[in-house]
Amino acid sequence: MNQEDLILVSVDGHAIELPNAFTRHMPAKYKGREPKVVKKSGRDVWEFEERITGYMGLNSVVGRPKEEYGMEPLSYEHMRRGTCDIKARVDDMNANGVLGSMCFPTFPGFAGQRFQTLPDRGVSLAAIQAYNDWHLQDWCNAAPGRFIPLMIAPWWDMQAAATEVTRMAAQGVRAVSFSDNSSVHGFPSIHSDYWDPFWKACADNNVVICCHIGTSTKAAHASDESPIDAWITSMPISISNSAADWIWGPMWKKFPTLRMALSEGGIGWIPYFLERADFTHRHHNAWTNSNFGDKMPSDIFNKHIITCFIEDQFGLKNLDSINLEMAMWECDYPHSDCTWPDSSSVF
């Protein structure tokens, strides 16, 4: 296949929310309490319920020479316009040969985790719903046919979570961002039946659960002297610990149509990971009492778990070792790992 014949659809990009993203969508009861951008020491930061979050840096360096990558930019004026402006984003997608893209949140956290632990649950839920409405109406629907909408949901109330999934699914949203390890945030683990109403709503509405790297389990800094290169190298593979946890999760038996994605986790490590999972089951299930029926852990993984890669030559050469239909590509625009504007060269 020639590069010019490729039709690229990215399942992982990121939207940098505009300063007024929440203003129009926050309900009247909470007007004036919506998340907003303020200046702190010359830097653009988000403020919500007296909590300050700064997040530019490597999240928005696309278009810069690699020699200039770093913790700048610090404000919207330092970023490429395509990071936050929908028309400019579509122009950059066109320049990269990308037809469609799914975009994770930035200020809320990739899984909306910044909204999950505030004392006032009412304003938290309002912010989640306002984000979802902005993302669908002002981001995705502003360029019909070019974006795959992605919602976030509350974690503290499973009835509210199921209701929000159902509300957004009725408008065509078929993906929800979620933490790869909820227990890190002080919520029950994925092995608890606490989450069953959420899993059921996702299964009933054909909504894929997207777990992005960095939403809980993170690559470790080996020491204070370790270079940032070591951390960046291990970052995608750090989700493998959570992947093992999900294979042994109970939700697949309860909700057999449920699917999830390991967003930005790469695919080159998957063949050995599945070999090790099957080895573990064969050698240890007699005393651990794990039960996959007539299946193996690799069967569960290949049926339910979508894998995603940015640039992964080894993985591409070994696609016959994973479920090809569940392997997807991602551009990661506008982060420092993104392949814009030459994404077709990775294939």
Side-chain angles (χ1 to χ4, degrees):
M1 177 182 289
N2 296 322
Q3 286 187 359
E4 57 269 22
D5 295 329
L6 286 172
I7 299 174
L8 298 177
V9 176
S10 169
V11 295
D12 170 38
H14 299 266
I16 305 292
E17 298 83 15
L18 283 169
N20 62 352
F22 292 85
T23 305
R24 184 169 75 89
H25 301 286
M26 206 74 172
K29 179 180 179 180
Y30 296 106
K31 287 294 185 184
R33 292 178 65 182
E34 65 269 12
K36 57 184 179 293
V37 172
V38 297
K39 283 282 188 183
K40 293 285 185 181
S41 303
R43 180 178 185 177
D44 287 336
V45 297
W46 281 88
E47 182 179 53
F48 182 46
E49 294 296 284
E50 301 182 348
R51 296 185 182 185
I52 298 294
T53 302
Y55 68 83
M56 304 298 184
L58 291 172
N59 285 334
S60 49
V61 294
V62 66
R64 291 184 168 213
K66 287 183 170 56
E67 293 79 9
E68 296 182 10
Y69 280 14
M71 296 320 293
E72 285 189 347
L74 302 178
S75 67
Y76 283 85
E77 65 185 19
H78 296 148
M79 296 187 299
R80 185 176 181 84
R81 195 63 187 164
T83 60
C84 58
D85 179 85
I86 192 65
K87 183 181 182 302
R89 172 64 66 92
V90 171
D91 288 341
D92 279 355
M93 289 166 61
N94 291 342
N96 198 25
V98 174
L99 173 64
S101 178
M102 186 166 72
C103 299
F104 284 82
T106 300
F107 153 65
F110 298 160
Q113 58 265 45
R114 289 197 176 99
F115 294 151
Q116 307 299 339
T117 57
L118 293 167
D120 189 329
R121 299 303 200 190
V123 75
S124 299
L125 180 59
I128 286 172
Q129 293 173 328
Y131 171 83
N132 286 340
D133 290 339
W134 169 82
H135 179 79
L136 179 62
Q137 298 172 22
D138 299 354
W139 186 263
C140 296
N141 289 353
R146 302 303 299 270
F147 291 94
I148 304 165
L150 173 72
M151 70 180 110
I152 56 178
W155 301 348
W156 64 88
D157 182 335
M158 285 301 95
Q159 185 54 56
T163 298
E164 185 64 4
V165 167
T166 302
R167 179 180 81 93
M168 298 306 296
Q171 300 177 71
V173 183
R174 294 290 180 262
V176 59
S177 187
F178 185 67
S179 173
D180 62 297
N181 185 351
S182 54
S183 66
V184 169
H185 302 283
F187 289 88
S189 80
I190 59 170
H191 301 277
S192 168
D193 60 8
Y194 171 86
W195 300 101
D196 283 0
F198 178 54
W199 307 146
K200 185 178 188 303
C202 291
D204 289 349
N205 291 282
N206 195 26
V207 169
V208 176
I209 300 163
C210 301
C211 297
H212 196 287
I213 61 170
T215 53
S216 65
T217 305
K218 296 179 176 64
H221 291 275
S223 73
D224 291 341
E225 296 177 332
S226 299
I228 192 172
D229 312 64
W231 177 70
I232 295 173
T233 297
S234 58
M235 192 187 318
I237 309 172
S238 67
I239 205 170
S240 61
N241 288 333
S242 294
D245 202 34
W246 281 83
I247 288 181
W248 269 268
M251 67 287 294
W252 313 123
K253 292 178 182 177
K254 296 179 181 179
F255 310 103
T257 62
L258 192 64
R259 291 174 298 162
M260 55 113 35
L262 301 174
S263 301
E264 207 174 315
I267 60 174
W269 55 275
I270 300 294
Y272 172 71
F273 172 81
L274 296 182
E275 179 183 331
R276 175 63 185 176
D278 287 351
F279 172 93
T280 298
H281 183 60
R282 289 194 307 270
H283 281 252
H284 298 283
N285 78 88
W287 68 273
T288 63
N289 298 314
S290 60
N291 182 7
F292 291 93
D294 60 350
K295 306 292 185 182
M296 294 294 287
S298 59
D299 296 319
I300 301 302
F301 186 99
N302 286 325
K303 178 181 177 181
H304 297 282
I305 300 181
I306 297 166
T307 56
C308 314
F309 70 96
I310 299 173
E311 184 171 345
D312 196 325
Q313 291 300 311
F314 181 84
L316 288 174
K317 290 176 182 177
N318 291 276
L319 286 174
D320 58 346
S321 297
I322 63 176
N323 183 355
L324 176 58
E325 294 183 356
M326 297 284 270
M328 300 186 181
W329 172 77
E330 50 200 2
C331 177
D332 197 31
Y333 183 109
H335 287 188
S336 57
D337 267 5
C338 82
T339 53
W340 185 89
D342 301 310
S343 290
S344 64
S345 65
V346 310
F347 293 95

